Amino acid sequence: MGTTRRDELVRALDDSDARAASRAAAALVESGEPDMALEALAERAAGSRAALDALVETLDASGVVHRFAGSMLLDRDAIDDVAQDTLISVVQSIASYRGGGRFTSWVHPIVRRRVADHLRRQRETSPLNEELLPSARMSSMIATRATVQQALADLPDLYRVPVVLRDVHGLSYAEVAERLELSLGTVKSQISRGRAMVAGMLTEDEDHS
């Protein structure tokens, strides 16, 4: 069954069908085979927008990054921040992925580095400087780069609306959740994925410039 679903995922990617790819990847995650989905997506993510978006969505949905971060950190907000930073780092460095092993083994060192970055910031700033948080970094980028505005406009509404409310209008996660009538966990996940997609679009623009 897993092989059949992987074949469906590969066909969707070959057809550049982002929705079908997301569905096939989600089915693999739900059936307990996230590694099969992640590896198929990662192999193609450097050259495919659909594969990259599905990779971010699947990696976040799998809970792998949060589990890795949670094994090294105790604070829930810190884990969320590190997970968001990790997704962005995965997008920015996916071209260096060479396969040959489990994709999660490639992700794990990235999580460790982002955890180390977080702990270093904690030591250097007390209390933690808001300018160093993912939301503030994204807000700064949005304020200074027109290309980010375009990237935001290209996001699906599912991700664009919460990202804009959080990073452009400055609402807290709780306020965004209340405004959109969604759970706090759903909002955090949507914002995390949206930020990673924006980072991917910017990386793609830089590669073509």
Side-chain angles (χ1 to χ4, degrees):
M1 179 66 74
T3 302
T4 300
R5 287 179 173 140
R6 187 186 189 282
D7 291 343
E8 291 174 359
L9 173 58
V10 170
R11 282 197 298 273
L13 294 172
D14 288 343
D15 294 338
S16 297
D17 188 337
R19 290 186 178 180
S22 292
R23 287 196 300 270
L28 284 167
V29 172
E30 290 170 4
S31 65
E33 298 176 292
D35 286 329
M36 187 177 290
L38 290 169
E39 285 151 24
L41 292 166
E43 289 170 2
R44 296 160 176 78
S48 167
R49 180 83 246 162
L52 182 58
D53 288 348
L55 176 64
V56 170
E57 184 175 0
T58 304
L59 183 59
D60 189 36
S62 73
V64 168
V65 173
H66 277 80
R67 285 197 296 273
F68 284 165
S71 70
M72 294 176 272
L73 297 166
L74 295 176
D75 181 75
R76 183 74 252 174
D77 288 339
I79 293 169
D80 288 341
D81 281 339
V82 166
Q84 290 185 28
D85 276 345
T86 298
L87 290 177
I88 291 171
S89 294
V90 166
V91 168
Q92 293 174 331
S93 58
I94 192 62
S96 68
Y97 176 69
R98 295 291 179 264
R102 295 176 66 176
F103 178 69
T104 50
S105 297
W106 181 80
V107 171
H108 201 177
I110 297 177
V111 180
R112 288 201 304 269
R113 290 194 293 272
R114 298 295 76 81
V115 167
D117 290 344
H118 171 80
L119 295 175
R120 184 177 62 252
R121 293 197 298 263
Q122 277 195 322
R123 289 194 300 269
E124 293 173 351
T125 60
S126 183
L128 184 63
N129 190 332
E130 173 68 17
E131 291 180 0
L132 298 174
L133 296 174
S135 60
R137 286 198 300 278
M138 186 64 75
S139 297
S140 176
M141 292 168 66
I142 290 170
T144 58
R145 296 188 59 174
T147 51
V148 181
Q149 294 280 11
Q150 183 58 52
L152 279 174
D154 290 341
L155 281 178
D157 287 348
L158 178 66
Y159 304 120
R160 178 176 52 80
V161 174
V163 168
V164 169
L165 289 174
R166 174 73 178 112
D167 292 336
V168 178
H169 298 295
L171 273 63
S172 68
Y173 287 112
E175 289 170 332
V176 175
E178 182 178 1
R179 176 79 65 87
L180 299 180
E181 299 182 345
L182 296 171
S183 71
L184 186 60
T186 296
V187 163
K188 286 185 175 181
S189 179
Q190 289 176 346
I191 291 172
S192 176
R193 294 177 189 178
R195 287 172 177 164
M197 288 179 182
V198 169
M201 294 176 195
L202 295 179
T203 300
E204 192 174 72
D205 288 344
E206 289 172 359
D207 289 343
H208 293 146
S209 61

PDB file of all heavy atoms in Angstrom, residues 9 26 85-86:
ATOM      1  N   LEU A   9       2.198   9.781  -5.329  1.00  0.00           N
ATOM      2  CA  LEU A   9       2.865  11.035  -5.000  1.00  0.00           C
ATOM      3  C   LEU A   9       3.839  11.437  -6.099  1.00  0.00           C
ATOM      4  O   LEU A   9       3.856  12.599  -6.536  1.00  0.00           O
ATOM      5  CB  LEU A   9       3.607  10.885  -3.664  1.00  0.00           C
ATOM      6  CG  LEU A   9       4.507  12.042  -3.226  1.00  0.00           C
ATOM      7  CD1 LEU A   9       3.713  13.337  -3.134  1.00  0.00           C
ATOM      8  CD2 LEU A   9       5.164  11.717  -1.885  1.00  0.00           C
ATOM      9  N   ALA A  26      -0.031  13.378   2.512  1.00  0.00           N
ATOM     10  CA  ALA A  26      -0.811  13.292   3.748  1.00  0.00           C
ATOM     11  C   ALA A  26      -1.267  11.863   4.003  1.00  0.00           C
ATOM     12  O   ALA A  26      -1.280  11.398   5.154  1.00  0.00           O
ATOM     13  CB  ALA A  26      -2.007  14.227   3.676  1.00  0.00           C
ATOM     14  N   ASP A  85      11.981  28.163  12.641  1.00  0.00           N
ATOM     15  CA  ASP A  85      13.309  28.450  12.090  1.00  0.00           C
ATOM     16  C   ASP A  85      13.824  27.260  11.286  1.00  0.00           C
ATOM     17  O   ASP A  85      14.466  27.423  10.240  1.00  0.00           O
ATOM     18  CB  ASP A  85      14.291  28.774  13.216  1.00  0.00           C
ATOM     19  CG  ASP A  85      14.231  30.229  13.648  1.00  0.00           C
ATOM     20  OD1 ASP A  85      13.649  31.039  12.907  1.00  0.00           O
ATOM     21  OD2 ASP A  85      14.769  30.562  14.723  1.00  0.00           O
ATOM     22  N   THR A  86      13.552  26.057  11.775  1.00  0.00           N
ATOM     23  CA  THR A  86      14.025  24.854  11.089  1.00  0.00           C
ATOM     24  C   THR A  86      13.361  24.704   9.726  1.00  0.00           C
ATOM     25  O   THR A  86      14.034  24.398   8.727  1.00  0.00           O
ATOM     26  CB  THR A  86      13.747  23.607  11.943  1.00  0.00           C
ATOM     27  OG1 THR A  86      14.463  23.710  13.176  1.00  0.00           O
ATOM     28  CG2 THR A  86      14.185  22.345  11.214  1.00  0.00           C
TER      29      THR A  86
END
